[in-house]
Every structure is written in structure tokens, then in C-alpha cells.
Amino acid sequence: MFDRRLFTNFDWTLLAVVLLVTSVGVVNIYSASSSYREIGTPYFLKQIYWIVAGMLLCVTVCSLDYHMLEDFAYWLYGAVLILLILVLVIGKVSMGAKRWIYLGFFTIQPSEPMKIVIIITLSRFFSRYPVFKGLTLRDLLYPLLLLGLPALLIMKQPDLGTAILVTLIGGTIILFVGVRWSALATMFAAAIPSVYVAWRYVLHDYQKDRIYNFLNPDLDPQGSGYHIIQSKIAVGSGATFGKGFMHGTQSQLRFLPEQHTDFAFSVFAEEWGFVGCLVMLVLYLFLILWGLGIAKKCNDRFGSLLAVGVCAMLFWHIVINMGMVIGLFPVVGVPLPFFSYGGTSMVTSMIGVGILLNVSMRRFMF
């Protein structure tokens, strides 16, 4: 029988904030793509379709007991890991990278669901792993292996942005569980030569160019530094109250690249200014704090870790994307959750919301 307490404890506030952000995102995509000569369905309509699909998945996820995820955690991890390997073997090449795989009726980008799967996997591991005075280096070997394998496979595609995000999400969960200072110091010392090795033998030339142009965009203002320069112009020209809806010159005159995807927030900043950006920041801050409140109230360790992991996923997306558009971080392909155009990103974020709703609804049962 259906437990009425599930409906009574449904987190309408969380859902309302998410729908508000997605609605603003759709309006922003409409403005950002209004100057495009689109063939077929407009981007803002496609985004609405993805929101509906994401909401259906969100409802599906929150209607099932989240402890089922605990039972199937390693199976999900293995399945997505196999897909990441298949991407490198038979994946679809697009813009010099292999990130997609064709599965009969549809294509999938396995690196996106890995963000959710790594949350579930590490939550399952640490929910059954006793930690008393913090994790030692020996304790970290297995979880770092679970985290490192998908990160390396994603970096091999190459997709540095998603690899960094998966690492940050997993690292946040590990830090939440607790790590001894001696282990942190040892890992920090080991990371110093690793940075040199990565720069010398792992990073591609275009990735190095992004870092160079992050430090000095004027090195190549018409090439690899163009994105940062135009984005900063758009954000700065918005001033206090912005230029008004569909009156941003950078976006309407098509100076701003990727303006409906990675740089959607630059369009919003130009049209609505500092005040509009502040409102969005408050909404995102509320969303993260509300999710952490769900984690705090949960009496189940697995559920608490899940909620923290989802908050970490949303937090790092927000920080990296907003930092990127104002020049605080190098340009990487990281969308703004619920705001930037993109089906896979929207679906992944909505599944994360479904997990938060699930934990919130069932917090009284454990």
C-alpha cells in the first residue's frame, strides 16, 4: 500500500526552486538563440522537452526507495564503466573528441551518468565502511581506485571538464566522510609532481592553450582567448540592471560563442545585470543549502551521503561555470545546472533532484 507519509513529506519547496530556475533558463535560451537561423525545432522548445523528460525521471527516481540504489550500486558502476570503455573503442567522434556512443535507438554520453553513479557507489561504500578518526591512506586506496578509473577514461576521450567534475564530486564525498590530516598532506605532496606529469604527457595542446589564455586572454584574442574576452565584455556591459530582455548586444549580434550552452549565464548577466545575477546566485545558494539540510536531517548514513553527493555535483557545476564566464577559471565545457541548454545535463541534474526528494520524503522512515 502507498504510505501517505511520503506525499505528506514531499519537498515542494525544493521542486518549486528547481522549476523556477529551469523556467528562467528557458526564457534565457529563447533570448540567446533568437538571433539563430534555426532549422527544425527551436532550442528553447527542445529544452522544454528535456525538462519534461527530466521531470519524469525525477518522479520515477523519487517514487522508488533509494535503498534500491545501494543494492545495485556496483552493478551500475560496472555498467557505466563498460560504456566508458566502449566510447573509446567505438564511440562517435565529434569536434575531435569521442564522448558519445550509439545504442541502437539513441546515443548516450556515459560520462554524464557517471556523475550520479559515482555518488551512489561511494555512498554505498562509505555507508558500510566504519570511520572513527578519519580515513588513512590505506583506507583511501579502494575509494580512490573507484574514483580514478572513470576519471582517467573520461580524460582519455578527451573531456577534461567532466573528468575534473567527477573527481571533485567524489573528493567532496570523501572529505565529508573525514580524512586524516597526515593523509591529506601526503596526497598534496604527491599531487605536485603529478601536475607536472599531467602537463607534460596528459594534457592536449588545446587544453594547455585554454590555461595560457585564462592567465592572459590577450595572447590570442581572435582564437583561444576569444571566449573569455567576449564573455567578460557581456557580463561587464550588463552593469547594475542590465540592458533588458533580448537587448544584449554581445548575444544578439552573435559576438558571444556558445551563448545558449556553456555561456548562457553571460547572456543573462548582460540582459539583467548585477541585480539579476544576484537573484540567480541566491536561488542557487538556497538550493545547495536546502539539499545540505536534507542530508543533515536524514537519519540514514547512505541517504545522507547521497544528498551530500548531489549537492556537491550541483555546487561544482555552478562554481566552475560561473567562474568560467567571468574569467576566474579556464574555459571548460561545464554547463550551468537547470539553466544551460543541453539534454544530458538536464536529465542528470533532474535525476539528482529526484534523489534529494527521495531522501527527503523517507527521512522519517529510518
Side-chain angles (χ1 to χ4, degrees):
M1 294 180 63
F2 179 76
D3 193 331
R4 293 181 180 179
R5 293 176 297 175
L6 295 177
F7 185 79
T8 304
N9 289 275
F10 187 83
D11 201 332
W12 296 103
T13 302
L14 174 63
L15 183 61
V17 173
V18 170
L19 291 178
L20 178 58
V21 175
T22 56
S23 300
V24 175
V26 169
V27 173
N28 188 69
I29 291 170
Y30 176 81
S31 175
S33 60
S34 62
S35 60
Y36 293 176
R37 293 181 179 178
E38 299 177 83
I39 300 175
T41 308
Y43 285 116
F44 77 94
L45 278 181
K46 291 180 183 178
Q47 186 77 342
I48 293 174
Y49 297 154
W50 283 116
I51 291 172
V52 173
M55 283 301 301
L56 291 175
L57 284 172
C58 176
V59 171
T60 302
V61 170
C62 72
S63 63
L64 302 172
D65 187 346
Y66 63 86
H67 286 88
M68 294 177 63
L69 298 175
E70 186 175 9
D71 297 332
F72 290 97
Y74 291 136
W75 290 101
L76 291 171
Y77 178 84
V80 179
L81 200 66
I82 290 172
L83 288 177
L84 286 173
I85 295 172
L86 288 176
V87 165
L88 299 178
V89 179
I90 59 172
K92 178 182 177 182
V93 179
S94 177
M95 298 180 67
K98 282 186 176 181
R99 300 177 185 177
W100 298 84
I101 185 171
Y102 181 65
L103 297 176
F105 298 102
F106 61 94
T107 57
I108 185 174
Q109 186 180 2
S111 57
E112 282 295 324
M114 180 51 78
K115 298 172 186 176
I116 296 291
V117 170
I118 199 66
I119 293 171
I120 298 170
T121 305
L122 290 179
S123 297
R124 194 268 187 196
F125 175 80
F126 286 118
S127 66
R128 303 186 182 187
Y129 193 91
V131 179
F132 301 103
K133 296 182 180 180
L135 297 166
T136 63
L137 280 177
R138 185 176 181 180
D139 297 327
L140 287 170
L141 289 178
Y142 188 63
L144 288 180
L145 178 64
L146 291 174
L147 181 58
L149 283 176
L152 288 174
L153 289 172
I154 294 170
M155 191 176 295
K156 190 69 177 176
Q157 293 178 359
D159 188 354
L160 182 61
T162 305
I164 291 173
L165 277 169
V166 170
T167 304
L168 288 172
I169 293 166
T172 302
I173 295 175
I174 292 172
L175 289 176
F176 176 77
V177 173
V179 182
R180 294 186 182 182
W181 283 107
S182 57
L184 286 175
T186 303
M187 287 191 295
F188 180 77
I192 297 176
S194 299
V195 171
Y196 173 78
V197 172
W199 180 267
R200 191 91 167 101
Y201 302 105
V202 178
L203 294 182
H204 294 259
D205 290 337
Y206 78 91
Q207 293 170 333
K208 293 179 182 179
D209 288 339
R210 288 179 178 179
I211 297 175
Y212 284 133
N213 284 282
F214 159 68
L215 298 174
N216 185 7
D218 293 326
L219 285 175
D220 189 10
Q222 297 298 320
S224 53
Y226 182 80
H227 291 67
I228 294 179
I229 292 173
Q230 297 302 321
S231 179
K232 290 167 71 174
I233 291 173
V235 173
S237 63
T240 304
F241 298 104
K243 296 179 178 179
F245 181 59
M246 296 184 67
H247 285 86
T249 53
Q250 291 297 110
S251 59
Q252 298 303 316
L253 297 178
R254 302 290 300 278
F255 287 107
L256 187 63
E258 307 295 336
Q259 57 192 36
H260 64 297
T261 54
D262 295 343
F263 290 90
F265 192 72
S266 302
V267 177
F268 183 83
E270 184 180 24
E271 293 183 351
W272 300 99
F274 174 77
V275 174
C277 292
L278 185 61
V279 172
M280 288 302 301
L281 283 171
V282 169
L283 288 174
Y284 276 122
L285 178 62
F286 179 86
L287 184 61
I288 298 300
L289 293 179
W290 195 267
L292 292 176
I294 292 173
K296 183 178 180 181
K297 294 174 184 176
C298 183
N299 296 319
D300 172 48
R301 183 172 175 81
F302 177 69
S304 181
L305 289 170
L306 278 179
V308 168
V310 173
C311 289
M313 180 183 73
L314 298 176
F315 173 80
W316 288 117
H317 273 83
I318 295 165
V319 168
I320 292 176
N321 181 273
M322 290 190 175
M324 176 184 72
V325 302
I326 60 176
L328 292 180
F329 295 126
V331 175
V332 290
V334 175
L336 191 59
F338 313 112
F339 197 84
S340 298
Y341 172 80
T344 310
S345 172
M346 179 62 70
V347 168
T348 302
S349 299
M350 283 296 187
I351 291 174
V353 171
I355 292 174
L356 285 178
L357 291 171
N358 198 326
V359 174
S360 179
M361 289 165 59
R362 290 172 172 82
R363 66 184 182 273
F364 60 87
M365 300 178 70
F366 303 99

